[in-house]
Amino acid sequence: MLTETPARDDAHQRALDWIAAGPKEIWIDGKWQQARSGKFIDSINPETEEKLTAISDADASDIDRAVMAARKAFEAPSWSAMTPHERTNCLLRIANIVEANAAELAVLESLDNGMPLWYSKAGVNAVVNQFRYYAGWPTKMFGATNPSTPDIFNYTLREPIGVCGQIIAWNVPLVMASMKIANALACGNTVVLKPAELASFTTLRLAELIGEADIPAGVVNIVTGLGAGAGAAIASHPGIDKIAFTGSTAVGKHIMRAAADTMKKVTLELGGKSPNIIFPDADIDKALEFAVRSFCGNSGQVCSASTRVLVHQDLHDEIAARVADMASAYKVGSPFDPETKLGPLVSGTQRDRVMGYIEAGIADGATLSFGGSRLGGKGYFVQPTVFSNVDNKSKIAQEEIFGPVVTIIPFKDEADAIQKANDTTYGLAGAVWSRDFSRATRVAKAIKAGRIFINSYGDADPVMAFGGYKQSGLGREYGQESIDMYTQTKSVWARL
Ligand code: NAD
């Protein structure tokens, strides 16, 4: 059911004041600057479909300016000669300033993207933790000494890559922007980041906060705009040494091709269609609680969501009925109603795309166990939707929907569950639920995906590497692996 409207507080007011201050410029070299095109893109509130303000539609000439600022900052001793301890302090200062402004950032995110306020608050907490996690790395990026002949001293140095172009999606904007910026800065790089045109507010506000955190100008540059304009200019820019992209697999392939000409280092965090395997000996209550939470979280606009729930055929009907029942109790409504579990989808286009998949599921003969409809006159609301008896080969089981839609797929035995789990072009995440730890670890090893949960789903911690197998991506974010993605190894061979 659709719930009622917002309660306001001081943080809400500060967010509204920031929005009301006028159309947003781009952040280059430590200050707001006008985009050369003079063009803007409307920012629409997904709850009300009303215009909030507008963001700049930057073009290739703006990316040139941002890259020049980032290059100058990268070479300047104020950044390049900074000690690891000072770099740690920079990241801690950003963490502290984000923490001090957490409530306002959370409101901005919910207004811009439509996620429930409790969800955006959890995201801002994660952001603070990300900056603190990466603050620990500058003093721990070790090289190696390698045994050779007695007259040789061979050692390695880990060095920054240079100017990093970063392009992100709209589903958890601040979390994504922060993980990329924190990772790059910890390794001594500088950044030109483009948020998604559908949700840029918190990344722009983060730029301002970083400006207040005494980080040298030009180290972080935030340029808004369309994918085909500002995004494409970043992907092909000869002055950018590395590109890190989060978004769809289709655009990821394009980025990889565009980056080839200048041989940029590339990391790609792409789409998913993650299997969540529930064996009969599992704690079924807990498994279903996590499964529903995962496919409904952020209205299903999560790359690693549990979108294929694989259940033993003997339990299928009972589990389908229970999931439908649980989903029906999840409230859909205003992001600012504390009871809301699902806010609106980010845009009318995304809502229509999701509705198209729901129609395809019905046409393909899957059982619609719950949902399937739009809600409310205004706003991009869609019911949580449960399909059961789904054929793993069907469109709704194979393609990423990026909305609150789950497919429940029966399996015969362990081998069948593994085969179906892996019968996808994606490989981002997955889970196995079983009280038999031998089976759980065996199946976890057999699933071809970058992040597997055992008796859990969707937990996030920066210590845990994240990234895709197959067409879900290239490289890793978080964890020690992410340090490798933002540094390069220099091997020094000294004849003694
Ligand atoms: P998208 O690929 O359409 O856009 C992502 C970003 O790329 C945006 O900033 C967009 O402006 C930019 N872009 C678009 N075309 C471009 C081009 N030709 N050159 C350069 N940049 C371009 O994706 P989306 O709709 O914003 O986000 C949803 C997708 O993101 C889903 O597929 C989801 O799975 C994926 N995603 C993945 C992760 C992950 O970590 N693996 C996390 C979140 C979202």
Side-chain angles (χ1 to χ4, degrees):
M1 61 172 280
L2 203 58
T3 56
E4 287 298 300
T5 42
R8 299 266 170 97
D9 59 14
D10 287 353
H12 201 132
Q13 195 54 55
R14 281 197 299 280
L16 292 177
D17 290 347
W18 184 84
I19 291 168
K24 305 301 162 202
E25 297 185 329
I26 50 183
W27 183 263
I28 297 178
D29 208 12
K31 51 187 177 293
W32 292 117
Q33 304 201 21
Q34 286 181 354
R36 290 256 160 83
S37 69
K39 290 193 201 153
F40 288 92
I41 304 164
D42 285 350
S43 291
I44 305 297
N45 181 339
E47 180 191 359
T48 61
E49 302 186 30
E50 282 160 12
K51 179 176 166 181
L52 290 164
T53 180
I55 54 165
S56 296
D57 183 10
D59 64 16
S61 67
D62 300 308
I63 299 301
D64 279 342
R65 278 191 293 154
V67 172
M68 269 161 47
R71 176 64 57 193
K72 197 171 86 203
F74 180 70
E75 304 293 352
S78 59
W79 187 244
S80 62
M82 187 177 263
T83 68
H85 290 292
E86 285 169 334
R87 221 180 279 297
T88 290
N89 284 333
C90 284
L91 289 159
L92 291 176
R93 285 200 300 276
I94 300 174
N96 292 345
I97 205 160
V98 169
E99 194 168 44
N101 290 274
E104 179 200 330
L105 285 163
V107 175
L108 275 179
E109 195 83 298
S110 289
L111 285 168
D112 201 15
N113 148 303
M115 65 175 67
L117 190 61
W118 59 266
Y119 195 94
S120 52
K121 281 182 176 169
V124 182
N125 281 340
V127 165
V128 173
N129 287 337
Q130 284 172 178
F131 278 110
R132 291 196 174 132
Y133 170 76
Y134 280 106
W137 273 109
T139 51
K140 295 162 196 79
M141 289 180 206
F142 302 111
T145 55
N146 303 311
S148 184
T149 51
D151 59 336
I152 293 298
F153 177 38
N154 176 219
Y155 63 96
T156 60
L157 299 170
R158 298 205 71 80
E159 298 190 337
I161 293 175
V163 176
C164 300
Q166 303 180 324
I167 302 174
I168 60 171
W170 41 260
N171 59 326
V172 278
L174 190 63
V175 171
M176 257 185 275
S178 301
M179 75 167 74
K180 283 187 165 49
I181 292 171
N183 195 345
L185 268 49
C187 299
N189 302 284
T190 58
V191 164
V192 175
L193 185 145
K194 189 193 89 63
E197 52 274 36
L198 288 174
S200 292
F201 287 178
T202 50
T203 310
L204 290 169
R205 185 73 184 102
L206 177 68
E208 264 176 342
L209 295 175
I210 289 176
E212 290 170 29
D214 200 20
I215 311 298
V219 167
V220 176
N221 304 278
I222 306 293
V223 184
T224 53
L226 298 172
I234 291 175
S236 61
H237 201 289
I240 291 181
D241 304 297
K242 175 205 165 76
I243 183 132
F245 171 78
T246 298
S248 61
T249 294
V251 175
K253 290 177 184 177
H254 183 80
I255 299 273
M256 207 168 166
R257 282 188 212 107
D261 278 343
T262 48
M263 205 53 78
K264 293 183 190 5
K265 315 286 179 273
V266 178
T267 48
L268 302 171
E269 294 289 346
L270 309 176
K273 196 75 193 177
S274 299
N276 186 2
I277 307 174
I278 304 176
F279 285 101
D281 68 342
D283 178 339
I284 303 286
D285 289 351
K286 197 171 247 181
L288 299 190
E289 179 196 324
F290 275 74
V292 175
R293 193 193 298 163
S294 173
F295 93 83
C296 289
N298 205 16
S299 290
Q301 301 166 119
V302 176
C303 51
S304 56
S306 149
T307 48
R308 290 187 300 141
V309 177
L310 296 162
V311 300
H312 192 271
Q313 58 192 12
D314 293 346
L315 294 182
H316 173 274
D317 292 355
E318 180 200 329
I319 284 186
R322 286 184 63 185
V323 170
D325 201 39
M326 290 164 78
S328 72
Y330 266 47
K331 277 194 176 174
V332 182
S334 166
F336 298 98
D337 179 338
E339 299 292 310
T340 291
K341 289 273 178 59
L342 290 90
L345 299 187
V346 73
S347 67
T349 307
Q350 187 63 12
R351 187 256 334 268
D352 294 345
R353 201 172 157 263
V354 170
M355 291 309 296
Y357 275 107
I358 291 172
E359 282 158 26
I362 294 166
D364 283 348
T367 307
L368 181 63
S369 297
F370 181 75
S373 301
R374 294 177 50 175
L375 285 176
K378 281 263 182 225
Y380 311 124
F381 296 95
V382 174
Q383 280 184 302
T385 298
V386 181
F387 280 108
S388 56
N389 272 310
V390 176
D391 177 354
N392 194 55
K393 297 273 185 214
S394 66
K395 190 177 169 79
I396 56 167
Q398 287 293 319
E399 295 182 17
E400 187 182 47
I401 299 174
F402 228 55
V405 181
V406 72
T407 60
I408 302 182
I409 301 166
F411 68 80
K412 284 200 295 285
D413 53 25
E414 185 177 313
D416 188 37
I418 292 168
Q419 189 278 328
K420 286 187 163 121
N422 288 334
D423 185 13
T424 164
T425 54
Y426 292 113
L428 192 56
V432 48
W433 292 82
S434 171
R435 287 193 170 94
D436 175 347
F437 199 67
S438 299
R439 168 151 73 187
T441 49
R442 192 165 63 232
V443 174
K445 189 162 188 292
I447 301 174
K448 293 181 170 54
R451 179 180 271 189
I452 307 291
F453 299 96
I454 293 178
N455 296 332
S456 191
Y457 203 100
D459 312 300
D461 187 318
V463 302
M464 183 168 52
F466 181 61
Y469 279 30
K470 301 195 271 185
Q471 293 194 28
S472 285
L474 203 63
R476 294 292 178 269
E477 309 223 54
Y478 288 155
Q480 183 161 2
E481 287 82 350
S482 69
I483 301 303
D484 296 343
M485 303 291 138
Y486 279 89
T487 53
Q488 49 196 346
T489 302
K490 177 178 283 171
S491 186
V492 183
W493 179 268
R495 192 167 292 283
L496 302 175

